[in-house]
Amino acid sequence: RKEVEQDPGPFNVPEGATVAFNCTYSNSASQSFFWYRQDCRKEPKLLMSVYSSGNEDGRFTAQLNRASQYISLLIRDSKLSDSATYLCVVNVAGGTSYGKLTFGQGTILTVHP
Amino acid sequence: DAGVTQSPTHLIKTRGQQVTLRCSPKSGHDTVSWYQQALGQGPQFIFQYYEEEERQRGNFPDRFSGHQFPNYSSELNVNALLLGDSALYLCASSRDRGGIQYFGAGTRLSVL
């Protein structure tokens, strides 16, 4: 079983749509959670951190369920510029894996006019 | 404020050769991590350097080695290149070992 699993998609949605991505992780010692965005042939860029209480940044909402080891990202009012690969990332704090980011495969989103 | 910089941007090598990739961390960052990203996959952790020492390592063979210098910059060396080493190699820096990691633009390595 992969440490971090995502639906690879692709998701093809029209502008203005709401789209949700899901992610599960297997290591219960995971302490930090993130969504990174990666444009084609570019580096991953931090989109947002994910907190247990849930957090929102404009059109983006991230949720974490530690009991189910599940992370989600909701994008409202999709824009053409949201087209990218979204990477679910976990970080185990402490111990031998401290600071090691574990990435999911990524979910491809294409927003069309 | 310069972000994470990597060099070279592209590299073509043949099987069996050796390669060195370079990374300069973001100002104020002291930790450098290296990742390998194959096409269509998420990045895979290679190793992390802090205080000039390798602090942890992912599931990569000893052909992959690295170094961190006193100015926090880092090198990734790969010996005896295989076709399967063709990938995007990403360097990430952070303020400390557990800090948020910021990525450089990567080095795209092609092994022929």
Side-chain angles (χ1 to χ4, degrees), chain B residues 30-42:
Chain B
D30 60 9
T31 302
V32 173
S33 302
W34 287 92
Y35 295 82
Q36 179 196 66
Q37 186 174 24
L39 202 60
Q41 301 297 317

PDB file of all heavy atoms in Angstrom, chain B residues 30-42:
ATOM      1  N   ASP B  30      18.612  26.426   6.333  1.00  0.00           N
ATOM      2  CA  ASP B  30      19.823  25.671   6.621  1.00  0.00           C
ATOM      3  C   ASP B  30      19.707  24.188   6.272  1.00  0.00           C
ATOM      4  O   ASP B  30      20.663  23.444   6.454  1.00  0.00           O
ATOM      5  CB  ASP B  30      20.192  25.823   8.102  1.00  0.00           C
ATOM      6  CG  ASP B  30      19.093  25.319   9.040  1.00  0.00           C
ATOM      7  OD1 ASP B  30      18.115  24.703   8.551  1.00  0.00           O
ATOM      8  OD2 ASP B  30      19.210  25.561  10.256  1.00  0.00           O
ATOM      9  N   THR B  31      18.565  23.777   5.807  1.00  0.00           N
ATOM     10  CA  THR B  31      18.323  22.355   5.527  1.00  0.00           C
ATOM     11  C   THR B  31      17.984  22.177   4.055  1.00  0.00           C
ATOM     12  O   THR B  31      17.193  22.944   3.500  1.00  0.00           O
ATOM     13  CB  THR B  31      17.155  21.836   6.387  1.00  0.00           C
ATOM     14  OG1 THR B  31      17.464  22.051   7.768  1.00  0.00           O
ATOM     15  CG2 THR B  31      16.924  20.355   6.147  1.00  0.00           C
ATOM     16  N   VAL B  32      18.603  21.181   3.462  1.00  0.00           N
ATOM     17  CA  VAL B  32      18.361  20.886   2.049  1.00  0.00           C
ATOM     18  C   VAL B  32      17.926  19.428   1.899  1.00  0.00           C
ATOM     19  O   VAL B  32      18.549  18.532   2.460  1.00  0.00           O
ATOM     20  CB  VAL B  32      19.626  21.140   1.204  1.00  0.00           C
ATOM     21  CG1 VAL B  32      19.418  20.658  -0.232  1.00  0.00           C
ATOM     22  CG2 VAL B  32      19.982  22.623   1.215  1.00  0.00           C
ATOM     23  N   SER B  33      16.861  19.230   1.149  1.00  0.00           N
ATOM     24  CA  SER B  33      16.372  17.878   0.849  1.00  0.00           C
ATOM     25  C   SER B  33      16.363  17.702  -0.658  1.00  0.00           C
ATOM     26  O   SER B  33      16.093  18.652  -1.393  1.00  0.00           O
ATOM     27  CB  SER B  33      14.960  17.678   1.405  1.00  0.00           C
ATOM     28  OG  SER B  33      14.927  17.903   2.804  1.00  0.00           O
ATOM     29  N   TRP B  34      16.621  16.483  -1.088  1.00  0.00           N
ATOM     30  CA  TRP B  34      16.623  16.162  -2.516  1.00  0.00           C
ATOM     31  C   TRP B  34      15.533  15.150  -2.819  1.00  0.00           C
ATOM     32  O   TRP B  34      15.309  14.205  -2.036  1.00  0.00           O
ATOM     33  CB  TRP B  34      17.983  15.583  -2.925  1.00  0.00           C
ATOM     34  CG  TRP B  34      19.090  16.588  -2.994  1.00  0.00           C
ATOM     35  CD1 TRP B  34      19.960  16.924  -1.992  1.00  0.00           C
ATOM     36  CD2 TRP B  34      19.472  17.364  -4.125  1.00  0.00           C
ATOM     37  NE1 TRP B  34      20.851  17.870  -2.432  1.00  0.00           N
ATOM     38  CE2 TRP B  34      20.568  18.162  -3.750  1.00  0.00           C
ATOM     39  CE3 TRP B  34      18.999  17.474  -5.435  1.00  0.00           C
ATOM     40  CZ2 TRP B  34      21.200  19.042  -4.627  1.00  0.00           C
ATOM     41  CZ3 TRP B  34      19.622  18.351  -6.306  1.00  0.00           C
ATOM     42  CH2 TRP B  34      20.707  19.128  -5.901  1.00  0.00           C
ATOM     43  N   TYR B  35      14.894  15.337  -3.972  1.00  0.00           N
ATOM     44  CA  TYR B  35      13.817  14.452  -4.405  1.00  0.00           C
ATOM     45  C   TYR B  35      14.022  14.093  -5.874  1.00  0.00           C
ATOM     46  O   TYR B  35      14.551  14.895  -6.653  1.00  0.00           O
ATOM     47  CB  TYR B  35      12.455  15.140  -4.264  1.00  0.00           C
ATOM     48  CG  TYR B  35      12.070  15.442  -2.830  1.00  0.00           C
ATOM     49  CD1 TYR B  35      12.555  16.572  -2.182  1.00  0.00           C
ATOM     50  CD2 TYR B  35      11.221  14.591  -2.123  1.00  0.00           C
ATOM     51  CE1 TYR B  35      12.204  16.848  -0.865  1.00  0.00           C
ATOM     52  CE2 TYR B  35      10.864  14.856  -0.806  1.00  0.00           C
ATOM     53  CZ  TYR B  35      11.368  15.991  -0.190  1.00  0.00           C
ATOM     54  OH  TYR B  35      11.020  16.262   1.121  1.00  0.00           O
ATOM     55  N   GLN B  36      13.558  12.906  -6.231  1.00  0.00           N
ATOM     56  CA  GLN B  36      13.550  12.470  -7.624  1.00  0.00           C
ATOM     57  C   GLN B  36      12.105  12.349  -8.078  1.00  0.00           C
ATOM     58  O   GLN B  36      11.285  11.733  -7.387  1.00  0.00           O
ATOM     59  CB  GLN B  36      14.232  11.097  -7.758  1.00  0.00           C
ATOM     60  CG  GLN B  36      14.254  10.554  -9.183  1.00  0.00           C
ATOM     61  CD  GLN B  36      14.567   9.059  -9.227  1.00  0.00           C
ATOM     62  OE1 GLN B  36      13.797   8.234  -8.762  1.00  0.00           O
ATOM     63  NE2 GLN B  36      15.720   8.708  -9.787  1.00  0.00           N
ATOM     64  N   GLN B  37      11.774  12.940  -9.208  1.00  0.00           N
ATOM     65  CA  GLN B  37      10.419  12.844  -9.724  1.00  0.00           C
ATOM     66  C   GLN B  37      10.428  12.249 -11.119  1.00  0.00           C
ATOM     67  O   GLN B  37      10.864  12.896 -12.078  1.00  0.00           O
ATOM     68  CB  GLN B  37       9.727  14.209  -9.737  1.00  0.00           C
ATOM     69  CG  GLN B  37       8.254  14.119 -10.130  1.00  0.00           C
ATOM     70  CD  GLN B  37       7.519  15.434 -10.022  1.00  0.00           C
ATOM     71  OE1 GLN B  37       8.131  16.503 -10.077  1.00  0.00           O
ATOM     72  NE2 GLN B  37       6.212  15.376  -9.838  1.00  0.00           N
ATOM     73  N   ALA B  38       9.927  11.035 -11.228  1.00  0.00           N
ATOM     74  CA  ALA B  38       9.764  10.399 -12.530  1.00  0.00           C
ATOM     75  C   ALA B  38       8.488  10.925 -13.176  1.00  0.00           C
ATOM     76  O   ALA B  38       7.586  11.421 -12.489  1.00  0.00           O
ATOM     77  CB  ALA B  38       9.691   8.885 -12.358  1.00  0.00           C
ATOM     78  N   LEU B  39       8.413  10.787 -14.478  1.00  0.00           N
ATOM     79  CA  LEU B  39       7.268  11.307 -15.226  1.00  0.00           C
ATOM     80  C   LEU B  39       5.974  10.680 -14.730  1.00  0.00           C
ATOM     81  O   LEU B  39       5.876   9.459 -14.583  1.00  0.00           O
ATOM     82  CB  LEU B  39       7.467  10.994 -16.708  1.00  0.00           C
ATOM     83  CG  LEU B  39       6.696  11.847 -17.705  1.00  0.00           C
ATOM     84  CD1 LEU B  39       7.090  13.308 -17.560  1.00  0.00           C
ATOM     85  CD2 LEU B  39       6.950  11.354 -19.113  1.00  0.00           C
ATOM     86  N   GLY B  40       5.006  11.530 -14.408  1.00  0.00           N
ATOM     87  CA  GLY B  40       3.704  11.035 -13.992  1.00  0.00           C
ATOM     88  C   GLY B  40       3.625  10.592 -12.547  1.00  0.00           C
ATOM     89  O   GLY B  40       2.588  10.063 -12.119  1.00  0.00           O
ATOM     90  N   GLN B  41       4.680  10.793 -11.795  1.00  0.00           N
ATOM     91  CA  GLN B  41       4.708  10.381 -10.393  1.00  0.00           C
ATOM     92  C   GLN B  41       4.953  11.576  -9.486  1.00  0.00           C
ATOM     93  O   GLN B  41       5.419  12.621  -9.928  1.00  0.00           O
ATOM     94  CB  GLN B  41       5.825   9.353 -10.162  1.00  0.00           C
ATOM     95  CG  GLN B  41       5.693   8.103 -11.000  1.00  0.00           C
ATOM     96  CD  GLN B  41       4.442   7.317 -10.673  1.00  0.00           C
ATOM     97  OE1 GLN B  41       4.092   7.148  -9.510  1.00  0.00           O
ATOM     98  NE2 GLN B  41       3.755   6.833 -11.700  1.00  0.00           N
ATOM     99  N   GLY B  42       4.654  11.406  -8.213  1.00  0.00           N
ATOM    100  CA  GLY B  42       5.020  12.430  -7.249  1.00  0.00           C
ATOM    101  C   GLY B  42       6.499  12.337  -6.914  1.00  0.00           C
ATOM    102  O   GLY B  42       7.130  11.302  -7.140  1.00  0.00           O
TER     103      GLY B  42
END
